[in-house]
Amino acid sequence: MPRQPVPRRVSAAPARVTPPPTPRVAARPAPLRWLRWSAMAAVWGALALAAGTLLLIWDLPHPDAALATTRRPATTLLASDGRAFATSGDLYGETLRLADMPRHLPAAFIAIEDRRFRSHFGLDPIGLARALWANLGEGRVVQGGSTLTQQLAKNLFLTPERSFRRKGQEAILALWLESRFSKDQLLEIYLNRVYLGGGAFGVDAAARLYFGVSARRLAPWQSAMLAGLPKAPSRLNPRTAPDAASARAIEVLHDMVETGALTAADGMLQAERIAIPAFPGRDTGWFADWVRDDLATRFPGNADLLLRTTLDLRLQGAAEQRIEAILASSGPAARVGQAGFIVLDAATGAVRAMVGGGSFSRSPFNRAVQARRQPGSAFKPFVFLAALERGATPSDAVSDLALSGRWQPGNGNWRSRGDVSLEDALAHSVNTAAVRVLARGGGAAGAAAVARRLGLAGPFPNDGTIALGTGEASLIELTAAMAAFCNGGMRVTPFGIAQAQAEGRPVAVPQTPPVRVIQPEHAAQMRRMLEAVVDRGTGRAAAIPGRSVIGKTGTTQGWRDAWFIGCVGSGTNALAAGAWMGNDDATPMDGIAGGNLPARLFREVMEGAR
C-alpha cells in the first residue's frame, strides 16, 4: 500500500508591528542660531581683547611719574673762545612756550612730521594707511606712520625697542596724552623734549649747540634743519654731516611751502641762505675724553657742568687737517698708518690742541696720551742735561768714533770727525757721542733721574741703551718736558680745564703750578743746543722763517717710531708741540725719520700758531 506523504509543518509568520510615529520637533529659526554664535564670539572676543590689553598695559610706566622723570647730568665743554664743541649726558636748554618760539619753528616740525596733528585724536589712520601703502610698494620701510603724539609717548615713556607690542603701548599712551593735554601743550612738551642729536634734548639746546643762538632767534632755514633731525639725529647731525643736514633742511622747507607755513618765494630764499657755521676741530673727541676722564673725582655730585677748556679750535683744526693730508698723501707709500700731535702752552701747561690718531670715529684710542713708545733720540736732551748739571758745557768736545765692546751702535749717515762739541753731537744726533755723554752725566741712573724730574714716568733701562731712547714715554710727557727747555726751566703739568660752573655757579678748578726743575743757566744752555738742532741739524725741516724754534728729532730702530718734539717762541708766548708717526702694531715704516714727516707736520701746524 503506498505510503502517504507526511504533511510539512508550516509555522505562522509573525505579524509586522509598525512603531508609533516619532513626534516631529520644530527646526530652530536661523536668527536664533546666529544670535547664539554671535554671543559666544563676543564673549571670546572680549576675553581676547582683555588679555591683549592686559599684555600691553601690565608694565606701562605711570604717566604722571614718567612726565617728571629724572635725567642724566649734562657736561658741556667750551673751547677757549667760548664755543661749545662737546657734550655728554642729557643736554637741555631753556624750556620755552610756543609764544616764545618763532612761528616757523613748530610749523616746520608739523610740516615734516605730522601734517594732521591739529585734527587727529593721537593716532592718524590716514597717515598709517599711506605709510603702509608706501612701504608695501617699496618692499621695505620707507615711511613711518607715527604722529607727533606717538613720538612724544615713545620719547617720554618707552624704550627704543621695535616690536608690535611696543607700538601698541605707544598708541595707548598717545590716546592718554591726547585726553590729558591740549594740542598746544602737547606741541610744547614735544619741542622741549625731542632728541635732536649731539646729546641735545629740545629745540633750545639744539639751537645753542648747532647754531650758537637761542631757539627764540632761529631763522626759518635753521628751524627746518632742526625739524629734519628726529628722523636720524646722528646721521643728519649738522656738525658731523653738514651736507646731509642741508639736504634734509631743503626737504623740510619744501613741505613748509606745501602746508602754507612759507610762501614759495620764502622757501627758495631760505634754501639759499642755508650755511652751517664752520666748525674747526671736528675730531675733538680725544681731547674731550681726556678732559672728562676724572670729572667724577674733581667735581663730585650730579650737577650739570659747564667747563671752559683750554682748547684752541683753530689750532686743533689745523692739526687735524695736516695729519689727515699727510697720512692720505705720503702715508700709504711710506707705510705710515697713524700719527699723533699735541700743543700746549709752554708757560702754563694748558693744552691747546690734541690729535690722537688719523680719525677718532675709526679709532678713539688716544696715541697722544695713552700710547707709550720708545722715544729714540728724542730722549737725548735728558742725557745731555744730566751732563750739563755735572759741569759739562755745550762747547766741550766728545768723541764720535765707534764704541769698543760687544755693543756698537751706528751713527746712520753721520761721517765721523773724531771729536765734536756736545752742541753738534746733539744737533746731528750722533749716537756714539750720546753714549759717551751719558757717562759724563752719571750713567743710566743719572739720565733716568733727570727724565723723571721733568715728568717722564718710564720705565727706563739701566744700561747704555737709555742714551738712544730705549725706555718708554708718551707724546704728552715728552712735549711737557720740552716746555721746560724753552720756558727757563719750569716743569708744567698739562691740563685742559680753565674754568668751571656747576648749575650756573662758579667752581674752583685747582691747577698744579709750574715748578722749577732746571736751573736757569742750564735751561739756557739746553735751549741753545736745541736751537742748533733746527738751525743746522736733524730738525731743519721744522724751521719756521722769522720764528724762534727749538726741538729734537727721534727715530727708533727699524723705523718703527718717528718723533719731533719742539717749541715755538720763548717766555710766556711759547708753545710746545710734539708730533709722532708710526703704526699701532709697530710694523716698520719705509724710511720715515723724525727729521722728515714729523718735523714737516710740526712746521705746517705751528707756522700759523699765534
Side-chain angles (χ1 to χ4, degrees), residues 32-45:
L32 292 179
R33 287 202 309 271
W34 284 110
L35 180 62
R36 178 185 177 191
W37 284 108
S38 297
M40 292 178 63
V43 170
W44 283 107

Side-chain angles (χ1 to χ4, degrees), residues 226-382:
L226 294 187
L229 291 175
K231 178 181 180 181
S234 298
R235 183 166 54 84
L236 299 173
N237 187 310
R239 284 190 169 182
T240 58
D243 292 339
S246 297
R248 176 65 171 167
I250 292 175
E251 292 180 23
V252 178
L253 289 170
H254 178 268
D255 284 8
M256 292 174 72
V257 171
E258 285 190 345
T259 58
L262 292 175
T263 66
D266 285 340
M268 292 181 63
L269 179 62
Q270 291 300 316
E272 293 172 356
R273 290 180 175 176
I274 292 176
I276 299 174
F279 188 78
R282 292 177 298 169
D283 263 357
T284 55
W286 291 294
F287 179 83
D289 285 351
W290 177 67
V291 165
R292 289 191 293 240
D293 187 50
D294 61 346
L295 286 186
T297 302
R298 301 181 66 181
F299 304 101
N302 294 316
D304 286 349
L305 295 175
L306 182 66
L307 306 177
R308 184 180 286 266
T309 72
T310 60
L311 190 68
D312 182 329
L313 287 177
R314 186 188 60 82
L315 196 55
Q316 174 74 19
E320 291 173 8
Q321 292 168 10
R322 295 316 307 153
I323 283 180
E324 182 179 358
I326 288 176
L327 290 181
S329 60
S330 303
R335 297 202 295 270
V336 181
Q338 286 293 351
F341 198 86
I342 191 166
V343 183
L344 54 85
D345 188 314
T348 65
V351 175
R352 302 301 186 193
M354 178 183 288
V355 182
S359 169
F360 180 79
S361 61
R362 291 195 296 268
S363 175
F365 179 71
N366 193 339
R367 295 159 187 84
V369 175
Q370 296 170 290
R372 304 194 65 78
R373 314 280 292 227
Q374 289 190 0
S377 293
F379 186 83
K380 287 177 181 174
F382 310 110

Side-chain angles (χ1 to χ4, degrees), residues 385-425:
L385 175 59
L388 295 182
E389 291 179 338
R390 289 179 175 248
T393 68
S395 59
D396 285 353
V398 60
S399 172
D400 66 354
L401 298 177
L403 299 175
S404 59
R406 297 174 57 186
W407 179 55
Q408 294 187 340
N411 286 327
N413 294 327
W414 173 258
R415 298 180 65 179
S416 297
R417 301 177 184 177
D419 284 341
V420 295
S421 67
L422 266 64
E423 182 175 307
D424 281 341

Side-chain angles (χ1 to χ4, degrees), residues 120-203:
H120 63 61
F121 55 90
L123 307 179
D124 183 9
I126 297 176
L128 286 171
R130 172 180 50 80
L132 180 61
W133 180 259
N135 295 337
L136 288 175
E138 292 289 333
R140 57 188 179 91
V141 178
V142 295
Q143 289 188 17
S146 294
T147 64
L148 284 182
T149 315
Q150 288 176 272
Q151 293 181 40
L152 179 60
K154 179 184 68 175
N155 293 340
L156 290 178
F157 309 127
L158 300 174
T159 67
E161 173 195 3
R162 290 190 172 189
S163 67
F164 289 111
R165 181 169 180 269
R166 207 267 304 157
K167 292 295 289 184
Q169 293 178 325
E170 179 184 292
I172 291 173
L173 288 168
L175 295 174
W176 179 87
L177 286 170
E178 290 276 350
S179 69
R180 176 77 180 271
F181 300 99
S182 69
K183 288 290 187 180
D184 281 352
Q185 289 174 325
L186 288 172
L187 193 54
E188 279 184 6
I189 297 172
Y190 176 86
L191 292 174
N192 283 294
R193 295 289 191 95
V194 62
Y195 181 64
L196 297 173
F201 289 82
V203 292

